[in-house]
């Protein structure tokens, strides 16, 4: 060891004790964080007090009683179509429930149809067939670049103006009539046996599920998977048919019949419902088609090659390799399209289909309970959205690829 | 080892032989591969040709051949089997500019042209600099002066007379423009470590994204007046504009958040290591990158908002969709609602389609820039 | 011209039957002539290394052998089965030919073991327990048995490639094709994969391997094939190939990579 003084190296400067940086509380990260948050709360509370006091004063000036008491008051307006019994003597509350059910109805069928059309169009866009893929591209590009509201006006306009009056309606199938009053179709006449038939078919479906599980087990044990398609169909429809026969095989049909200027009997779908359903289906299917296309394209081609190389046939490659990976990419954005469809069903008000917003708007104009009714809107839509989001988060967590 | 046929010392590559005719690219091979490669594709092709052959000629006939393409009174259209474009001749000024005083309509027309000019200029990447910060405010002020008047010898036109395309463009562009800074704040707040600020931003974003635009518009039109102190009223158009800003901010915030999440952790760490403060790191390092990669999805959100502005007709704002509705409800021209809707549909389509193509091009362009 | 002495370290168990024959095979991508009059025959148990500059058609050549690519002229027969557009023939060939890819192409949604048992279960209709035993056997053989229940994303590149080898072996193939199996790997992982391949070669597997790992070629190959511009330029047993290349183009290539 050599001493610095003898080694010829420059003596290092004596370290001076540096003053520690300011210890003022203002520079503490924690303090600042608390300060910002307190400020935010203060602003929100001030704004809240300002708005609430204004609102109370305004309500008092207009003589409006706030609160949800009005839900029990007689509504006094009619609703074009309702899934539960409703007359204008029923309360606002019941009217809003009718609206909610109508929203759910159109959204439910819209989601099913939009998915079917969207998946077909998305796959068609990937077709090697030039005409088919170009047709699908044109479908997607044209329809998603025009506002939904215009779709609705256009379809509704066509339904009302082009379709004939009931007495000249188009007889699409025996017993099915399309006119500017909507679509009339026959249903089986009321008979308690139909409920039992439905239950029997449900039991058959459960049986089919166990059949599939058994097939899985047989495949695991012996390697050969027994055929399940025909036995499953047999179980479902066989059970239904047996119960129907036991119940006396009723065949009477409640069919629509032209009486005077309109139809009697049967069931019907109003032109408003049809227009909204078609508009939502067409518009949303264009978006779903894009999601399906990009989802399938997102699966690396190497996956298909590897599946071929180990000898899987085309069907198993699609079912075991491509689809499970594509679905991971497809399902989250498709769910948000389902939510969009549900929210977009509120455009019903523009063509007079009595959904939640449409009924609520009438109730609002009559009762003046703006805050309460908008709160109902928000609660209903938020419940739908948040429950879907929660489900999606759970689902995404479950299927996420395990990575390093 | 059998059959080892080495080429000589000097490798002379065999001349490439052209592919035999049966597999050579050409119209016949193309048709064989793209139209008739399997039995079901042949079937699809035949069905598609049949559908096209039956529908396209009659559509062309309706649109062009049998259509009335000149200015004519409504009853002249009764004899026409095709489209009655006389309707558009008659109504286009009303559909585009609404009830704006007829002889003054060059003003909204000029405003729309200036407006579109600014949008087009902003689409070019070399223009993405501070000059845009000057062009936009100046351009918007000129548009506003043109529309509202009251100075430079222009007659004052109150905004309840404005209508049509200028309203639609204004709601969409100003809506997204003003929502943009709000959305950045919301996105940063959502990623903040401060629980109250985070909760506030998450709550706002999820609330707005969870409900339809119509409910927000209703809120602006019926609840806003209740919120204001006695005697203060806010203009109907302004309320709708605020609703659209609030709505767009939540959607844009999610786009910005996506961009922030896509920035590699190393960038944040490098900024910290350089001793930059949070705001310096955001302003100089993170946001410029995050905002750049999110431009394509932002354009897509804008396209969505542009289409959604049509909903304001439900709260009684005179936008393009509303003027079209009024035009086709004219008793004399009622029969020609399809022509009216097709006209407006083409307008919306041109705007949205060109923007979505722009967004795709830009995405490609930015991606390429990244790779280099 | 070429000597037929077996490679020094390989315990040659070459039979006399030819398992692969390619006769006058031509292939075009559009107008681009990728394979020009390829003639090649491979005997059972033979180990062949294919090398050449990129774009020379070497990957296309071996991908034609399990019809991931179609050839347009000439005949290819694998284990006596003619490769045509007959789906039955293609499936039969693929069941006998295993393939390992440059980018592994493991199925990310399936566990390592499920990757291995998928084809035995769905193609060979093996019972699940049996398929799993088989999968474990080959995973042990590539020394990765303890990772069986993990997912591909949790493994390193070298481990993934060894799983890919085990996955191919689970179909008990007669022939293994390797398409640049080490090109996508970090340097320190190349050895573990090459070791696995050397083991396989010593067991007498018929192998066609596209690779630039010349050490591997020297250690196990019976024959090295050099391709350029879509044709086979030179082929020889490895010592002669490396020490005394005949062709100018081969010399140039060897200078670049050695």
């Amino acid at each position: 060891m050599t001493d610095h003084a003898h080694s010829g190296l420059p003596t290092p400067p004596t370290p001076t004790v540096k003053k520690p940086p300011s210890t003022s509380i203002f520079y503490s990260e924690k303090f600042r964080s608390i300060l910002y948050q307190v400020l935010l709360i203060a602003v929100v509370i001030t704004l809240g007090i300002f708005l609430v006091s204004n609102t109370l004063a305004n309500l008092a000036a207009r003589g409006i009683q706030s609160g949800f008491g009005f839900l029990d008051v007689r509504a006094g307006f009619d609703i074009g179509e309702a899934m539960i019994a409703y007359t204008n003597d029923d309360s606002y509350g019941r009217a809003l429930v009718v609206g909610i059910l109508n929203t759910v109805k159109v959204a439910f069928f819209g989601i099913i149809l939009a998915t079917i059309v969207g998946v077909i169009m998305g796959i068609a866009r990937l077709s090697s067939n030039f005409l088919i893929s170009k047709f699908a591209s044109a479908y997607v590009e044209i329809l998603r670049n025009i506002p939904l509201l215009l779709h609705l006006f256009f379809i509704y306009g066509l339904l009302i103006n082009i379709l004939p009056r009931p007495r000249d309606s188009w007889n699409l199938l025996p017993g099915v009539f399309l006119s500017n009053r909507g679509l009339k179709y026959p249903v089986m006449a009321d008979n308690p046996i139909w409920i039992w038939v439905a239950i029997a078919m449900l039991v058959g479906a459960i049986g089919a599920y166990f059949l599939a599980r058994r097939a899985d087990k047989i495949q695991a044990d012996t390697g050969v998977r027994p055929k399940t398609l025909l036995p499953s169909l047999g179980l479902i429809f066989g059970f239904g048919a047996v119960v129907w026969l036991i119940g006396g095989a009723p065949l009477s049909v409640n069919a629509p019949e032209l009486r005077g200027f309109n139809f009697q009997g049967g069931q019907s779908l109003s032109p408003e419902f049809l227009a909204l359903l078609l508009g939502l289906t067409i518009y949303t299917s264009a978006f779903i088609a894009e999601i399906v296309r990009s989802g399938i394209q997102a699966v690396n081609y190497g996956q298909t090659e590897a599946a071929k190389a180990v000898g899987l046939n085309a069907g198993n490659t699609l079912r075991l390799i491509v689809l499970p990976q594509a679905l991971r990419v497809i399902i989250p954005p498709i769910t948000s399209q389902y939510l969009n469809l549900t929210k977009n069903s509120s455009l019903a008000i523009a063509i007079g289909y009595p959904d939640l917003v449409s009924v609520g708007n009438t109730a609002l104009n009559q009762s003046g309970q703006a805050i309460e009714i908008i709160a109902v809107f928000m609660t209903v839509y938020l419940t739908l959205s948040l429950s879907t989001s929660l489900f999606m988060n759970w689902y995404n967590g479950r299927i996420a690829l395990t990575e390093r | 080892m059998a059959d080892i046929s080495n080429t000589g010392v000097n490798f002379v590559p065999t001349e490439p032989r052209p592919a035999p005719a049966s597999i050579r690219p050409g119209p016949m091979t193309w048709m064989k591969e793209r139209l008739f490669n399997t039995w079901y594709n042949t079937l699809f092709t035949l069905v598609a040709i049949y559908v096209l052959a039956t529908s396209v000629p009659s559509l062309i006939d309706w649109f062009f051949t049998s259509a009335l393409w000149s200015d004519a009174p409504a009853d002249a259209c009764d004899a026409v089997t095709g489209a009655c474009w006389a309707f558009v001749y008659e109504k286009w000024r009303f559909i585009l500019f609404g009830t704006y005083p007829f002889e003054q309509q060059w003003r909204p027309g000029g405003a729309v042209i200036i407006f579109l000019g600014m949008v087009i200029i902003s689409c070019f990447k070399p223009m993405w600099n501070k000059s845009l910060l000057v062009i936009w405010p100046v351009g918007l002020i000129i548009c506003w002066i043109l529309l509202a008047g009251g100075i430079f010898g222009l007659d004052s036109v109150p905004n309840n007379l404005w209508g049509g395309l200028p309203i639609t463009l204004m709601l969409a562009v100003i809506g997204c423009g003003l929502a943009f800074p709000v959305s950045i704040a919301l996105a940063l707040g959502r990623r903040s470590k401060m629980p109250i600020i985070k909760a506030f931003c998450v709550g706002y974003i999820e609330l707005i994204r969870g409900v339809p635009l119509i409910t927000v518009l209703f809120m602006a039109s019926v609840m806003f007046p209740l919120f204001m102190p006695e005697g203060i009223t806010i203009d109907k158009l302004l309320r709708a504009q605020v609703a659209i800003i609030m709505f767009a901010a939540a959607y844009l915030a999610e786009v910005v958040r996506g961009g922030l999440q896509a920035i590699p952790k190393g960038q944040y760490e490098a900024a910290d290591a350089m001793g930059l403060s949070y705001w310096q790191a955001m302003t100089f390092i993170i946001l410029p990158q995050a905002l750049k990669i999110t431009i394509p999805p932002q354009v897509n959100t804008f396209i969505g908002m542009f289409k959604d502005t049509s909903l304001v007709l439900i709260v009684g704002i005179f936008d393009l969709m509303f003027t079209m509705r009024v035009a086709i409800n004219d008793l004399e021209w009622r029969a020609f609602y399809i022509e009216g809707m097709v006209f407006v549909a083409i307008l919306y389509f041109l705007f949205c389609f060109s923007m979505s193509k722009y967004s795709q091009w830009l995405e490609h362009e930015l991606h390429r820039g990244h790779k280099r | 011209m070429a000597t037929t002495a077996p490679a020094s370290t390989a315990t040659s168990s070459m039979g006399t039957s030819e398992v692969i024959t390619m006769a006058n095979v031509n292939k075009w991508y559009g107008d681009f002539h990728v394979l020009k009059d390829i003639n090649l025959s491979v005997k059972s148990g033979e180990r062949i290394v294919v090398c050449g500059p990129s774009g020379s058609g070497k990957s296309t050549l071996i991908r034609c052998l399990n019809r991931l690519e179609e050839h347009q002229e000439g005949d290819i027969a694998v284990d006596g089965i003619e490769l045509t557009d007959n789906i039955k023939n293609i499936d039969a060939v693929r069941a006998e030919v295993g393939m390992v890819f440059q980018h592994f192409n493991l199925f990310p949604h399936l566990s390592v073991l499920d990757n291995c048992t998928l084809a035995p279960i769905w193609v060979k209709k093996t019972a699940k327990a049996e398929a799993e035993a088989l999968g474990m056997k080959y995973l042990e053989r590539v020394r990765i048995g303890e990772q069986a229940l993990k997912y591909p994303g949790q493994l390193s590149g070298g481990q993934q490639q060894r799983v890919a080898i085990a996955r191919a072996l689970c179909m008990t193939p007669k022939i293994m094709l390797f398409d640049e199996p080490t090109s996508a790997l970090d340097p320190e992982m190349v050895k573990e994969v090459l070791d696995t391949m050397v083991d396989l070669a010593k067991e007498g597997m018929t192998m066609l391997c596209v690779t630039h790992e010349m050490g591997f070629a020297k250690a196990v190959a019976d024959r090295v094939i050099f391709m350029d511009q879509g044709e086979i330029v030179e082929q020889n047993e490895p010592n002669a190939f490396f020490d005394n290349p005949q062709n100018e183009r081969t010399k140039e290539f060897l200078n670049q990579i050695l």
Side-chain angles (χ1 to χ4, degrees), chain B residues 221-365:
Chain B
S221 76
V222 299
M223 270 168 75
F224 231 67
L226 294 176
F227 287 159
M228 288 298 120
E230 195 76 80
I232 295 184
T233 53
I234 296 183
D235 183 69
K236 189 161 86 172
L237 185 59
L238 184 58
R239 280 180 303 189
Q241 181 72 78
V242 169
I244 286 178
I245 294 171
M246 285 171 61
F247 192 74
Y251 281 82
L252 286 174
E254 283 299 271
V255 172
V256 174
R257 182 169 74 116
L260 290 173
Q261 276 173 342
I263 303 299
K265 216 173 143 203
Q267 293 290 315
Y268 290 89
E269 286 169 356
D272 281 348
M274 285 166 68
L276 299 183
S277 75
Y278 174 80
W279 292 110
Q280 285 170 329
M282 286 300 148
T283 320
F284 302 124
I285 313 289
I286 307 299
L287 280 176
Q289 300 183 56
L291 296 182
K292 191 178 158 198
I293 57 173
T294 54
I295 290 174
Q298 277 163 21
V299 175
N300 289 338
T301 312
F302 175 73
I303 296 172
M305 284 313 299
F306 184 79
K307 287 182 290 175
D308 282 352
T309 54
S310 57
L311 269 61
V312 294
L313 87 82
I314 291 165
V315 291
I317 306 284
F318 238 58
D319 77 324
L320 186 59
M321 193 75 81
F322 203 147
T323 53
M324 183 274 288
R325 289 277 288 172
V326 173
I328 62 176
N329 279 335
D330 182 340
L331 277 182
E332 200 188 343
W333 294 93
R334 264 201 113 141
F336 309 109
Y337 65 99
I338 294 183
E339 285 82 344
M341 290 192 193
V342 168
F343 175 64
V344 173
I346 290 173
L347 282 183
Y348 273 107
F349 177 79
L350 287 179
F351 275 109
C352 296
F353 184 69
S354 50
M355 281 188 289
S356 79
K357 283 291 155 208
Y358 171 70
S359 138
Q360 280 167 20
W361 172 81
L362 194 64
E363 190 167 2
H364 185 247
E365 195 73 358

Side-chain angles (χ1 to χ4, degrees), chain B residues 55-69 81-83 85:
Chain B
S55 64
V56 170
S58 56
L59 276 178
I60 290 178
D61 182 63
W62 180 83
F63 202 98
F64 299 103
T65 329
S66 303
L68 183 67
W69 276 90
T81 54
W85 299 120

Side-chain angles (χ1 to χ4, degrees), chain B residues 77-127:
Chain B
C77 285
D78 294 345
V80 176
T81 54
C84 174
W85 299 120
F87 172 84
V88 176
Y89 274 93
E90 172 75 20
K91 296 287 188 188
W92 70 273
R93 299 239 334 226
F94 181 79
I95 293 177
L96 290 186
F97 304 121
T99 50
Y100 206 91
F102 193 78
E103 63 286 356
Q104 300 276 340
Q105 285 182 359
W106 62 271
R107 283 161 55 182
V112 166
I113 289 168
I114 293 174
F115 207 86
L116 293 180
M118 291 192 298
V119 171
I120 291 169
I121 285 176
S122 313
C123 287
F124 291 102
K125 248 171 106 181
M127 293 297 297

Side-chain angles (χ1 to χ4, degrees), chain C residues 63-101:
Chain C
R63 286 159 62 88
C64 279
L65 293 176
N66 63 351
R67 211 164 168 94
L68 289 181
E69 306 276 358
E70 275 172 50
H71 61 286
Q72 286 134 349
E73 272 185 12
D75 299 311
I76 300 179
V78 177
D79 199 30
I81 307 164
E82 188 77 26
L83 266 177
T84 59
D85 57 5
N86 183 328
I87 295 172
K88 280 238 152 62
N89 284 7
I90 297 173
D91 285 346
V93 167
R94 283 178 181 162
E96 305 216 335
V97 177
M99 184 159 195
V100 175
F101 297 86

Side-chain angles (χ1 to χ4, degrees), chain B residues 1-20 23-25, chain C residues 1 4 26 28 31 33 36-37 72-73 222-223 228-229 231-235 246-249:
Chain B
M1 211 172 287
D3 184 34
I4 291 185
S5 50
N6 286 343
T7 352
V9 174
N10 284 311
F11 168 59
V12 183
T14 316
E15 271 305 298
R17 187 148 55 84
I23 61 156
R24 194 122 33 107
Chain C
M1 180 182 278
T4 47
N26 277 287
W28 290 264
D31 263 339
H33 202 170
K36 299 173 187 161
D37 287 321
Q72 286 134 349
E73 272 185 12
D222 298 308
R223 188 163 25 139
D228 193 21
Q229 300 190 30
E231 50 195 322
I232 296 178
V233 175
E234 181 166 354
Q235 46 182 317
Q246 302 292 307
N247 193 291
E248 286 304 320
R249 191 66 195 84

Side-chain angles (χ1 to χ4, degrees), chain C residues 30-41:
Chain C
D31 263 339
F32 179 62
H33 202 170
V34 251
L35 293 181
K36 299 173 187 161
D37 287 321
I38 300 288
N39 286 294
L40 177 70
S41 63

